[in-house]
Amino acid sequence: MGKTLTQKILEKQLVVGQYEQGKEIGIRIDQTLTQDATGTMAYLQFEAMGLNRVKTDLSVSYVDHNTIQIGFENADDHRYLQTVAAKYGIYYSRAGNGICHQVHLERFGKPGTTLLGSDSHTPTGGGIGQIAIGAGGLDVALAMAGEPFYLTCPRVIKINLTGRLQPWVSSKDVILKILDLFTTKGNVGCVFEYGGPGIETLTVPERATITNMGAECGVTTSIFPSDDETRKFLAAQSRENDWQELSADPDAEYFKIVDINLSELVPLASTPHSPGNISTVKELEGLEVNQVCVGSCTNSSFRDLMVVAESLKGKRVHPHVSFVLAPGSRQVVNMLARNGSLADLIECGVRLVENACGFCIGNSQSPQSNAVSLRTSNRNFLGRSGTKDANVYLVSPETAAAAILTGKITDPRDMKMPYPNVEMPDKFAVDDSMILPPSDNPDNIEIYRGPNIGEPPTNDAMPESINGIVTIVAGDYTTTDHIIPAGSRMKYRSNVPKYSEFLFEVVDPDFYHRAREIKESGRQNVIVGGVSYGQGSSREHAALCPMYMGVRAVLAKSFERIHTANLINFGIVPLTFKNEADFATIQQGNNLEIPDIREKIAHGKPLQVKNTTQGVEYEVEYDLSERASEIVLAGGMLSLIKNKA
Ligand code: MIC
Ligand code: SF4
């Protein structure tokens, strides 16, 4: 039987276990990336491991999230990151150089290798034929220390592309179609592997848009073969030597095959407040738009911004629309400047902002109250834009361009404009001067630590029994943006006690006070969640801050992959209801006892939960490998490492 591309790469990298669907495996990681918002904690954890240098082939530290710099905290963190990178053998991409995923694709991504990134959109690298996976910062720190990365050996789903995209329909519409088919839940442990004749019609940046936003389906990663298009892209980035041809065997067996005919796709949009709520643009037509934001790691390539620039050339932004553009990288903006498109955009009335995450993470450009905001980014969770009652729609650059001109949601195919034919350049404007290599004299580097940097907190071992209180009953699809907001709060990422004050701020601003009271009374906090708990980002603070507040268990209907791993890494046990109907019996403030939890997890025995307030008792389940049980019982990975030392 032939092999999928995923299997070929994972088998090559396998260091623990056997390639068997559903089993835990450990793989060697070739490359890592971090960004500043998750990176400070990741490097503090790396430092705590006591190594002199990273053990990966390549590690890159990007600064792209917290670049607004209101107050000293962000700039101090950047300086910390720069000195750590210089000392430990890490490349440092300075603020202003661009968004980690875009820059990594341009300058470092290598077909056939593995990349682990402390950001959930790391699968962008799948566009170039890399197995690129998002993870919590601690897992990335461990990978930098040469440890294997553990994952569930995936079920590989083939997405078979046929046909060709029609004018004004683009790769964003492909991934929105996939979100429509697969939704944001139920895909844990899967990989989307693309194939079929349609892939030849897509360039690497278009493929990367698709693999980037596969993250919203909750898959482990997404990957395209490495073919002649990949070679051309790498050659245009002056990196043809990094190319190798890679594809699945023709007789590879897949868990499932889903066909998508590109020729039949139409412009689509995610409607508020989930990337999985899909409508056609036609269905939304006429809705007045207040803001259009173009950029983010999903849609900020040269191709995407050229489509927008060409569509707007010689025209003016609609008077009711605020048009914001955040280019993906310095390379992209440089090329737009050189070919005159930047001037076209400025003439049109763009509000040009830094090459960074910016609006996408809600640290700037929050729209007005009740706004309709069209964005080319990948997440429209409640409150993420910084304006809680805003309605954010996720669209393609083409649909964004139409709304910039008309002030309404408009099907771009009806604009009666010629479709911009953007050719991929033979040579991109390569200039790595904003990527600083590590120091040749690491001993001379002193690490800078501003007052915002605290020690990463650790946890105590799991108690014999849990005698806890339900601090919150969170609903279905609770995302990490609900658990701990980013935006203007993100500057406290290096200061866990302070950042913890904002836990569940968007949905329940009193959470912190209740949790503190319970913790101070010597009881444990227990979080109860619905379906797909922990969707979205990789931010480990969604586990680290609850841990700091004394949360010991999360009991949910189901969990998403990265968040589960983060909970385990910080000594919080993820439990699921054996019978989902038991969820309805729990209320905030109930006493929950889990007797003999230590002993039972250690021996893999079933766990009983007693709700002594409601007088009910039932079984809950957990799916922990031997390795994961050991971590949870020790009180998290750092405690385990300390115990072993
Ligand atoms: C996001 O898009 O939500 C983020 C901000 O990039 C996060 C990482 C973070 O919270 O720092 C992600 O996607 O993992
Ligand atoms: Fe940055 Fe947004 Fe991409 Fe996250 S999704 S890495 S915040 S651009």
Side-chain angles (χ1 to χ4, degrees):
M1 188 182 69
K3 292 182 180 178
T4 64
L5 176 55
T6 308
Q7 178 174 1
K8 289 184 189 180
I9 302 176
L10 288 180
E11 275 184 348
K12 173 173 73 69
Q13 303 290 123
L14 201 65
V15 284
V16 183
Q18 293 203 328
Y19 191 92
E20 208 180 310
Q21 254 179 45
K23 292 270 154 54
E24 186 176 77
I25 53 172
I27 56 169
R28 186 190 132 73
I29 295 298
D30 300 316
Q31 302 188 342
T32 62
L33 72 76
T34 55
Q35 39 89 340
D36 50 304
T38 54
T40 47
M41 207 36 80
Y43 292 111
L44 285 165
Q45 288 156 346
F46 177 78
E47 283 188 275
M49 292 172 197
L51 277 82
N52 293 335
R53 213 176 165 79
V54 292
K55 294 198 170 165
T56 43
D57 295 346
L58 173 89
S59 288
V60 191
S61 171
Y62 293 91
V63 177
D64 55 359
H65 278 62
N66 271 318
T67 58
I68 293 294
Q69 296 171 221
I70 297 171
F72 61 91
E73 292 90 346
N74 299 163
D76 278 4
D77 283 358
H78 301 170
R79 186 84 193 125
Y80 165 75
L81 292 168
Q82 184 169 350
T83 52
V84 163
K87 193 168 186 75
Y88 292 108
I90 299 152
Y91 283 78
Y92 178 74
S93 173
R94 304 181 62 186
N97 197 43
I99 304 174
C100 55
H101 308 302
Q102 173 68 24
V103 177
H104 205 85
L105 191 78
E106 291 168 357
R107 306 305 308 138
F108 298 112
K110 213 167 160 182
T113 62
T114 48
L115 165 69
L116 193 72
S118 60
D119 192 282
S120 64
H121 290 105
T122 304
T124 312
I128 211 165
Q130 214 173 13
I131 288 280
I133 303 178
L138 182 50
D139 279 332
V140 176
L142 286 163
M144 288 190 286
E147 295 294 321
F149 172 67
Y150 292 90
L151 71 159
T152 305
C153 185
R155 295 190 296 249
V156 184
I157 298 174
K158 180 173 181 180
I159 314 255
N160 189 46
L161 301 180
T162 56
R164 173 182 286 276
L165 291 169
Q166 297 301 297
W168 300 102
V169 183
S170 67
S171 56
K172 180 63 159 283
D173 300 306
V174 179
I175 188 61
L176 294 181
K177 180 71 195 172
I178 290 166
L179 269 155
D180 194 25
L181 297 174
F182 284 89
T183 78
T184 60
K185 72 160 175 39
N187 308 305
V188 173
C190 297
V191 166
F192 289 155
E193 188 170 306
Y194 289 84
I199 57 172
E200 284 168 28
T201 66
L202 299 171
T203 60
V204 166
E206 290 171 295
R207 297 172 184 184
T209 293
I210 296 173
T211 58
N212 168 286
M213 221 180 148
E216 274 46 74
C217 295
V219 291
T220 306
T221 191
S222 303
I223 187 166
F224 274 82
S226 169
D227 58 7
D228 202 47
E229 266 304 322
T230 323
R231 188 193 56 73
K232 274 196 261 171
F233 176 80
L234 284 168
Q237 291 286 353
S238 307
R239 309 201 279 126
E240 197 170 351
N241 286 343
D242 286 344
W243 183 71
Q244 58 169 311
E245 189 161 21
L246 291 168
S247 59
D249 291 331
D251 57 344
E253 205 170 291
Y254 290 90
F255 175 70
K256 186 155 114 186
I257 301 181
V258 172
D259 293 304
I260 293 186
N261 183 347
L262 299 174
S263 313
E264 289 173 358
L265 294 182
V266 298
L268 297 172
S270 302
T271 65
H273 298 286
S274 169
N277 294 343
I278 305 293
S279 283
T280 63
V281 170
K282 269 257 170 302
E283 283 165 337
L284 303 168
E285 229 167 23
L287 192 63
E288 283 199 18
V289 172
N290 308 98
Q291 182 189 49
V292 179
C293 299
V294 175
S296 91
C297 56
T298 314
N299 280 120
S300 58
S301 65
F302 175 72
R303 184 228 97 105
D304 288 339
L305 303 199
M306 280 303 293
V307 166
V308 175
E310 293 274 308
S311 306
L312 302 183
K313 193 174 181 159
K315 307 187 179 98
R316 294 293 179 268
V317 58
H318 188 278
H320 295 164
V321 173
S322 172
F323 163 33
V324 176
L325 172 69
S329 69
R330 180 164 161 269
Q331 180 182 91
V332 169
V333 83
N334 190 3
M335 290 180 65
L336 296 183
R338 286 173 185 219
N339 74 11
S341 303
L342 192 58
D344 295 334
L345 288 161
I346 290 168
E347 256 168 43
C348 173
V350 72
R351 300 179 64 187
L352 187 67
V353 297
E354 193 174 10
N355 319 321
C357 299
F359 71 82
C360 175
I361 194 50
N363 67 7
S364 56
Q365 301 294 342
S366 297
Q368 71 188 60
S369 297
N370 279 311
V372 169
S373 174
L374 254 58
R375 299 176 166 217
T376 64
S377 46
N378 46 41
R379 289 185 176 145
N380 57 347
F381 302 139
L382 181 75
R384 182 174 161 107
S385 68
T387 304
K388 194 169 165 187
D389 60 10
N391 288 306
V392 176
Y393 294 75
L394 306 174
V395 297
S396 68
E398 287 80 351
T399 303
I404 291 165
L405 296 175
T406 63
K408 296 186 193 117
I409 297 190
T410 308
D411 188 322
R413 294 172 301 175
D414 297 337
M415 292 293 289
K416 306 276 177 287
M417 301 191 290
Y419 187 50
N421 186 14
V422 180
E423 292 284 336
M424 282 296 279
D426 292 335
K427 274 273 166 267
F428 288 98
V430 173
D431 168 8
D432 291 335
S433 57
M434 294 276 279
I435 302 175
L436 308 181
S439 169
D440 293 333
N441 298 305
D443 292 345
N444 297 347
I445 304 283
E446 202 175 313
I447 294 182
Y448 174 86
R449 290 173 213 279
N452 191 42
I453 296 247
E455 284 294 300
T458 50
N459 205 353
D460 304 329
M462 179 68 78
E464 293 308 327
S465 297
I466 285 184
N467 178 7
I469 307 253
V470 177
T471 335
I472 186 171
V473 179
D476 288 345
Y477 309 109
T478 297
T479 73
T480 54
D481 276 298
H482 296 116
I483 301 170
I484 190 93
S488 59
R489 309 301 192 195
M490 203 165 47
K491 69 177 183 178
Y492 298 118
R493 284 285 175 93
S494 317
N495 181 346
V496 171
K498 178 72 190 162
Y499 196 35
S500 299
E501 292 175 16
F502 307 110
L503 276 165
F504 287 102
E505 188 189 25
V506 190
V507 283
D508 181 358
D510 289 334
F511 176 91
Y512 169 75
H513 300 284
R514 285 201 305 277
R516 199 175 63 180
E517 232 168 78
I518 295 168
K519 185 183 169 191
E520 284 170 359
S521 76
R523 316 272 306 265
Q524 290 95 20
N525 281 289
V526 177
I527 292 173
V528 175
V531 167
S532 189
Y533 185 83
Q535 274 197 6
S537 84
S538 68
R539 68 189 70 139
E540 62 189 356
H541 295 75
L544 180 54
C545 296
M547 174 201 95
Y548 180 75
M549 295 310 297
V551 174
R552 267 300 169 171
V554 180
L555 175 53
K557 290 182 186 167
S558 63
F559 288 92
E560 290 300 315
R561 174 187 65 90
I562 306 179
H563 189 58
T564 307
N566 287 336
L567 289 172
I568 293 168
N569 274 346
F570 292 101
I572 299 176
V573 60
L575 303 171
T576 50
F577 292 95
K578 184 162 188 188
N579 175 3
E580 267 190 25
D582 292 327
F583 172 85
T585 64
I586 306 189
Q587 275 168 13
Q588 187 183 305
N590 285 177
N591 285 316
L592 281 196
E593 290 177 9
I594 312 180
D596 306 319
I597 187 165
R598 259 201 92 77
E599 207 256 336
K600 288 185 171 166
I601 291 181
H603 297 100
K605 289 192 204 149
L607 277 179
Q608 294 295 120
V609 166
K610 287 185 193 171
N611 184 333
T612 55
T613 315
Q614 307 284 355
V616 287
E617 183 174 338
Y618 42 81
E619 197 175 320
V620 291
E621 298 183 319
Y622 55 95
D623 181 13
L624 300 175
S625 65
E626 216 174 286
R627 188 189 63 87
S629 307
E630 207 191 345
I631 299 170
V632 161
L633 294 179
M637 194 63 188
L638 289 180
S639 307
L640 183 67
I641 294 174
K642 272 195 192 154
N643 296 349
K644 286 194 172 165

